[in-house]
Amino acid sequence: MKRRSLFGAAALVALSTAFSPLAAYAQDKLTIALIPGLTTDAFYITMQKGAQAAADALGVELVFQGAPDFNPVTQVPVLDAVIARAPDAILIAPTDTTQLIEPLRKAHDAGIPVITVDTFIGSGVYQTGAGDADFPLAYIASDNVLGGRIAARALAAAIGGEGKVYVSNVNPGISTTDQREEGFKAEMAEFFPGVEVLETQFNENDANNAASQLQAVFARNPDLKGVFGANLFSALGAANGVQQAGQSGIIRVVAFDAPTSIVDNLSTGLVDVAIAQHPAEIGYYGVVSAYAHLTGNSIPVSIGTGFTIITKDNVSDPEVAKYIYSD
Ligand code: T6T
């Protein structure tokens, strides 16, 4: 069952020598590695659970290995170490659209199939023969442009279609959060002429930065009406900033992602809407896709997972609450 081309085996020896003294993963089962954006994020913890469910069902070994922060500088050494141990496939949420291309090509050149989950490299359009980053087999994720549009509609509704808002975002160069901002701004420009979108504030995935930035934007714009937190830490920090400024329910907050720390703030009115992704599905279909490929089946080049819009009115419905992330 274990797949390894001769070329892959030779490359593996070279990579093992170059990067890690660790032995290859166990040979008795297929081993699929999942490398998240960072390990301590409820989004990726939930993705791991979905991946583990599929791994258990299929009898494969899942290895979850990642960095403590969302940063290519810390993610690339983890990737190198995983490649050196020769898993049968790699699922990865690349932390930068360009900086992960060459590191991932090493896996591809070593004969290890690569599937990106959540985020993508290059344009995210794979297997077309075009560009330098189309070698991953598949991309499994939310439709992040649509997610940004949903956020814009929700925030525009919360502020009555008028006033100043801004996007609290992570860093430029991350496919998911770039696309959410793009969708948010496009929806506002097309359908909500009364909404003024101020300059985006980049917080480096640090909720404390996002909270300070909220207060600084509010100090400069006392008529600030709302904020879109484009991922978990951006939203959490922005909401904390609103609370610290004594503006709960006045500056409206739409959050991307749905950890308990955000969902708990729906009932108090601090957060209006939490847009839950379905990370468990991303992990589940990631493992299923890798397994299908490794056992000789064709797989879709792109799989889209959905959203669940959580508000104080539906949060106690079990069919909604099941999408709250695991901590
Ligand atoms: O929003 C998710 C993920 O989709 C994004 O790529 C990075 O941030 C999160 O992990 C939430 O913190």
Side-chain angles (χ1 to χ4, degrees):
M1 187 96 150
K2 193 87 178 167
R3 166 217 55 85
R4 175 69 53 207
S5 68
L6 276 181
F7 171 72
L12 161 63
V13 171
L15 286 166
S16 300
T17 318
F19 294 110
S20 169
L22 295 174
Y25 292 119
Q27 296 289 305
D28 55 335
K29 280 181 173 186
L30 289 173
T31 300
I32 297 173
L34 170 58
I35 304 176
L38 74 165
T39 49
T40 54
D41 176 336
F43 173 83
Y44 295 112
I45 292 169
T46 310
M47 184 188 292
Q48 180 191 10
K49 281 197 168 177
Q52 191 61 57
D56 292 346
L58 296 168
V60 306
E61 187 73 25
L62 178 75
V63 177
F64 183 75
Q65 210 170 326
D69 54 6
F70 195 98
N71 189 333
V73 173
T74 48
Q75 189 181 43
V76 169
V78 173
L79 171 61
D80 284 341
V82 166
I83 294 171
R85 296 191 69 185
D88 292 284
I90 292 177
L91 309 177
I92 183 168
T95 46
D96 190 277
T97 47
T98 53
Q99 293 184 56
L100 265 292
I101 296 174
E102 291 314 316
L104 277 171
R105 194 190 308 286
K106 286 188 207 160
H108 176 66
D109 289 349
I112 303 171
V114 174
I115 291 175
T116 73
V117 288
D118 177 44
T119 43
F120 59 72
I121 52 171
S123 66
V125 181
Y126 301 149
Q127 299 292 312
T128 62
D132 64 345
D134 86 320
F135 56 85
L137 294 177
Y139 173 51
I140 304 169
S142 311
D143 178 339
N144 287 289
V145 175
L146 175 64
R149 284 186 178 271
I150 293 171
R153 279 177 226 149
L155 191 55
I159 65 171
E162 274 182 23
K164 293 180 181 170
V165 303
Y166 77 95
V167 182
S168 175
N169 212 342
V170 181
N171 271 326
I174 303 166
S175 68
T176 46
T177 47
D178 283 355
Q179 288 191 325
R180 290 169 202 163
E181 181 176 334
E182 177 195 325
F184 180 87
K185 288 182 170 166
E187 184 75 10
M188 289 301 195
E190 285 168 36
F191 300 108
F192 301 101
V195 176
E196 184 185 349
V197 182
L198 302 173
E199 196 185 346
T200 297
Q201 303 295 305
F202 291 105
N203 55 55
E204 303 188 322
N205 219 26
D206 182 331
N208 291 327
N209 287 347
S212 314
Q213 288 166 346
L214 183 291
Q215 302 205 47
V217 175
F218 178 48
R220 292 194 295 272
N221 300 274
D223 52 350
L224 182 69
K225 288 276 173 30
V227 56
F228 167 41
N231 85 332
L232 192 157
F233 299 100
S234 306
L236 191 60
N240 288 343
V242 167
Q243 191 162 41
Q244 287 154 12
Q247 295 294 303
S248 180
I250 301 166
I251 298 176
R252 313 298 285 266
V253 180
V254 168
F256 216 90
D257 291 310
T260 48
S261 51
I262 288 191
V263 171
D264 287 348
N265 287 316
L266 291 170
S267 57
T268 65
L270 176 59
V271 175
D272 282 90
V273 172
I275 300 171
Q277 303 187 74
H278 295 177
E281 287 171 28
I282 297 175
Y284 191 95
Y285 287 102
V287 169
V288 169
S289 300
Y291 180 82
H293 172 75
L294 293 168
T295 53
N297 297 287
S298 63
I299 60 171
V301 74
S302 145
I303 298 179
T305 52
F307 298 111
T308 298
I309 313 302
I310 310 184
T311 66
K312 67 174 175 357
D313 297 328
N314 68 7
V315 65
S316 49
D317 176 348
E319 282 306 307
V320 171
K322 72 183 183 189
Y323 290 106
I324 299 170
Y325 302 173
S326 308
D327 294 313

